[in-house]
Amino acid sequence: MPIIRIDDPQVFVGISLEKAVAQIEEHGYEARLVWADNRTIHTDYKPDYDPLRVNLHALDGKVTKAMIG
């Protein structure tokens, strides 16, 4: 799958988590949910930076924050 650069991950803020994950994967990136509904999801969160990963925060099924890494 070709990689299509995501210049601004904030484009995913405000859309459903399901749709955001699908769009991120269509770009050839990995989507990782790290926080949802006031709790940490990814408990073994390491400070490893991956420029082809988008870390997501969600509340009530909608993305509230998105960061490359």
Side-chain angles (χ1 to χ4, degrees), residues 10-41:
Q10 295 303 306
V11 299
F12 304 112
V13 173
I15 64 174
S16 74
L17 179 60
E18 191 174 288
K19 187 175 180 180
V21 169
Q23 289 180 10
I24 290 165
E25 290 175 351
E26 285 173 8
H27 279 82
Y29 285 62
E30 173 192 0
R32 177 168 70 174
L33 180 63
V34 296
W35 185 91
D37 299 322
N38 296 317
R39 58 182 195 173
T40 301
I41 301 298

